[in-house]
Amino acid sequence: DIQMTQSPSSLSASVGDRVTITCRASQGISHYLAWYQQKPGKAPKLLIYAASTLLSGVPSRFSGSGSGTDFTLTISSLQPEDVATYYCQKYHSVPLPFGGGTKVEIK
Amino acid sequence: EVQLLESGGGLMQPGGSLRLSCAASAFTFSSFAMTWVRQAPGKGLEWVATIRGSDGSGSDGSTFYADSVKGRFTISRDNSRNTLYLQMNSLRAEDTAIYYCAKVWTGNGWLLDYWGQGTLVTVSS
């Protein structure tokens, strides 16, 4: 089965900073990579799919890139409301593993 | 707007059984695959099970399970009630988690586009 690995597991950055989270698949998954945002005490929400397509309503400071095995989620200018844990997931076939998550905090 | 409302969680003893429900609204439930995802306290997300839609147009209601629950959990659906279920048997302490149901975005792999708020299952003696 394909494994998903995220890094870092946590980060602390200042408001306005550029933040980058990486996700690596143990085998190629083409562009079938999604990013979810989970705010404290809330359910996850779909943020990005097909590696780089933002869901409607997601602020443009979020972006995704990559294909095959290496993917990136970038927040171009971190805002207080972006405090959350972010998960990647491959979704082209079951099983549907998630990455371990990256907790983003404000410094 | 799509709504998913889980229920049925609670405190159970190891070895016990529990059935979770997920009531769906504002979409044609029978046509969409559905998924259960869980999250142990303070931990990450873990895919549990998925069931295809079963509307007779090619969706056959087939099921898929994570190895950690295979043989103990059963995912099912009642399209007449717009409800998804997760029957959990032989519960273990490591099954303690918030259980979320999620709708699959048809035609886009198994992408989870809407999630419920979750229901907490605690397995402890």
Side-chain angles (χ1 to χ4, degrees), chain A residues 21-100:
Chain A
I21 299 167
T22 64
C23 176
R24 175 165 289 176
S26 60
Q27 299 174 38
I29 59 171
S30 183
H31 62 282
Y32 290 94
L33 191 282
W35 290 98
Y36 297 88
Q37 177 192 62
Q38 185 179 34
K39 294 188 176 181
K42 300 295 186 181
K45 291 177 62 176
L46 178 62
L47 207 61
I48 290 173
Y49 63 97
S52 62
T53 303
L54 266 62
L55 204 65
S56 176
V58 173
S60 59
R61 63 181 178 273
F62 289 91
S63 64
S65 65
S67 68
T69 60
D70 294 306
F71 302 88
T72 298
L73 171 68
T74 299
I75 308 173
S76 61
S77 177
L78 186 66
Q79 299 302 306
E81 59 267 33
D82 301 334
V83 167
T85 301
Y86 295 85
Y87 296 91
C88 64
Q89 185 201 30
K90 74 95 168 170
Y91 63 90
H92 71 306
S93 63
V94 290
L96 305 174
F98 292 87

Side-chain angles (χ1 to χ4, degrees), chain A residues 1 32 34 36 38 42-46 48-50 55 87 89 91-100, chain B residues 35 37 39 43-47 50 64-67 100 105 108-118:
Chain A
D1 291 347
Y32 290 94
Y36 297 88
Q38 185 179 34
K42 300 295 186 181
K45 291 177 62 176
L46 178 62
I48 290 173
Y49 63 97
L55 204 65
Y87 296 91
Q89 185 201 30
Y91 63 90
H92 71 306
S93 63
V94 290
L96 305 174
F98 292 87
Chain B
T35 289
V37 174
Q39 185 170 37
K43 302 297 184 182
L45 302 173
E46 180 189 13
W47 171 72
T50 293
F64 309 89
Y65 297 93
D67 288 344
Y100 298 99
W105 186 341
N108 208 341
W110 300 92
L111 186 64
L112 307 178
D113 60 350
Y114 288 94
W115 296 60
Q117 87 294 341

Side-chain angles (χ1 to χ4, degrees), chain A residues 32 36 46 49 55 91-92 96, chain B residues 2 27-35 50-55 57-61 77 102-114:
Chain A
Y32 290 94
Y36 297 88
L46 178 62
Y49 63 97
L55 204 65
Y91 63 90
H92 71 306
L96 305 174
Chain B
V2 169
F27 65 100
T28 307
F29 179 74
S30 61
S31 297
F32 290 87
M34 298 292 293
T35 289
T50 293
I51 184 168
R52 290 186 187 272
S54 53
D55 61 358
S57 66
S59 301
D60 62 0
R77 63 193 302 154
K103 171 185 164 293
V104 174
W105 186 341
T106 296
N108 208 341
W110 300 92
L111 186 64
L112 307 178
D113 60 350
Y114 288 94

Side-chain angles (χ1 to χ4, degrees), chain B residues 83-122:
Chain B
T83 301
L84 175 73
Y85 300 102
L86 185 67
Q87 178 67 44
M88 310 165 64
N89 298 331
S90 302
L91 283 164
R92 305 168 180 167
E94 54 264 37
D95 296 321
T96 295
I98 296 172
Y99 285 74
Y100 298 99
C101 68
K103 171 185 164 293
V104 174
W105 186 341
T106 296
N108 208 341
W110 300 92
L111 186 64
L112 307 178
D113 60 350
Y114 288 94
W115 296 60
Q117 87 294 341
T119 187
L120 176 63
V121 173
T122 302

